Amino acid sequence: MDTLTLAACAKLNIGLRVAGLRADGYHELDSVFQTIDLTDQLTLTLREAPGTQVRMVPDRGIDPNANLVHRAIALLDESVDRDAGLSVQVDKRIPIGAGLGGGSSDAAATLVALSHLWGLGLSRAELQPYARRLGSDVSFFLHGGRCRVSGRGDRIEPMGDGNHAIIEAYVLVVPPWPLATSEVYRTFDQLRSSSLINSPYANDLEAAALQLEPRLGSYRDWLLAKDVAFGMSGSGPVYFALASSVAEATDMAAAADRELSGDALVCQPTTSGQQWPLRYP
Ligand code: C5P
């Protein structure tokens, strides 16, 4: 097996509580994470020429040192003895700086794929220590589906997929500008705010995101006027609204496309963090 192609799923936070500041400077979280069928596609190929090449399409100029795919390869590379080179192409479809975990999911997918391609046979549990070192959300994507996530983001309790039958589709409203997670948390610390709404979808980081990017308010107002259940994902700025059918979600997305700037996407939940033909142990 010389080439592997797999899809890395985005996530939504179905509610997010920040329970306090931890001794390590991170925040203590309590959230429900759900993977969705908005994906990046990764193609990993073994090459004769030594070295590693990572190509992002489109190339948004992400610094290779900060690129989690590079970092995942380098981390796993330390523990294998290999001669062959590696090239990776990442077709980016998950918006960057959106609160959808795209970079973290790419990193988890890279770990899973390399374990196969390099014949390491590492289980999810064995990949967890690598995931933890790469970022707070990476551990979750090794599980995917719907999980209760706490701690720094690395305590994961799978919740099963019982809710898929109820929540059939989500509409994602994606503003055309990103937000930096670290800045949203910094603003949260200054504001010491809690969530704006009392609902299962309440997100304690929403007031901080609105403070940092006041233009986000018009997206929130639009959703309030629609009288639908909605929440912000992660550190934003993406909002998601719940729809009871794909047809209802498609109508809402068409209205968002007409009335708001940015993108509106219809997504459905997935039961895993990666999609590919192979089963993973
Ligand atoms: O772990 P990761 O590098 O993805 O986190 C990005 C930023 O988000 C951190 O630098 C930190 O500012 C913030 N963060 C946090 N508490 C968490 C997760 C992330 O403060 N549990």
Side-chain angles (χ1 to χ4, degrees):
M1 177 175 45
D2 285 346
T3 294
L4 242 175
T5 299
L6 74 169
C9 297
K11 58 85 177 161
L12 296 176
N13 294 90
I14 315 293
L16 188 153
R17 296 243 160 250
V18 182
L21 194 58
R22 296 157 52 98
D24 61 10
Y26 283 80
H27 294 77
E28 188 73 17
L29 301 183
D30 185 4
S31 180
V32 172
F33 281 54
Q34 170 70 62
T35 44
I36 51 173
D37 61 358
L38 170 64
T39 59
D40 287 342
Q41 184 173 298
L42 283 80
T43 303
L44 298 91
T45 308
L46 295 180
R47 304 180 307 146
E48 273 182 25
T52 300
Q53 277 181 356
V54 178
R55 198 162 98 93
M56 310 293 282
V57 182
D59 183 357
R60 296 205 178 90
I62 304 172
D63 173 5
N65 295 320
N67 186 325
L68 284 175
V69 172
H70 272 279
R71 289 182 42 211
I73 296 165
L75 201 57
L76 216 51
D77 201 11
E78 286 170 12
S79 51
V80 273
D81 188 18
R82 66 180 178 103
D83 298 325
L86 176 73
S87 68
V88 182
Q89 176 160 323
V90 184
D91 292 297
K92 285 296 295 176
R93 293 184 292 230
I94 305 173
I96 291 172
L100 299 172
S104 301
S105 185
D106 292 348
T110 302
L111 292 177
V112 168
L114 283 182
S115 171
H116 276 277
L117 212 48
W118 288 347
L120 306 176
L122 297 170
S123 67
R124 286 169 210 240
E126 287 166 328
L127 286 172
Q128 280 297 349
Y130 298 98
R132 248 178 240 124
R133 285 176 63 186
L134 289 166
S136 305
D137 289 350
V138 183
S139 300
F140 161 71
F141 285 106
L142 289 178
H143 284 271
R146 196 182 190 87
C147 295
R148 179 102 182 247
V149 175
S150 55
R152 196 193 117 192
D154 54 359
R155 208 157 52 233
I156 320 279
E157 298 161 61
M159 295 172 77
D161 57 1
N163 265 335
H164 289 195
I166 305 166
I167 299 157
E168 196 161 331
Y170 301 99
V171 179
L172 270 55
V173 178
V174 187
W177 18 263
L179 279 177
T181 302
S182 52
E183 279 183 43
V184 175
Y185 274 104
R186 202 173 315 126
T187 308
F188 171 85
D189 288 336
Q190 287 159 4
L191 289 177
R192 299 190 169 278
S193 59
S194 58
S195 63
L196 298 174
I197 43 173
N198 185 14
S199 109
Y201 312 107
N203 182 331
D204 284 347
L205 297 175
E206 190 181 5
L210 283 158
Q211 165 95 5
L212 258 179
E213 183 43 91
R215 284 178 292 177
L216 193 53
S218 58
Y219 294 81
R220 181 167 208 282
D221 291 344
W222 188 89
L223 287 158
L224 278 172
K226 286 275 176 269
D227 200 20
V228 289
F230 70 92
M232 191 184 80
S233 186
S235 51
V238 165
Y239 276 107
F240 61 91
L242 278 64
S244 56
S245 68
V246 172
E248 186 190 315
T250 304
D251 284 350
M252 206 193 306
D257 261 334
R258 279 194 306 273
E259 294 161 30
L260 296 168
S261 59
D263 271 334
L265 307 169
V266 174
C267 295
Q268 291 189 278
T270 66
T271 52
S272 165
Q274 294 83 40
Q275 295 179 325
W276 58 342
L278 297 174
R279 271 185 58 77
Y280 187 67

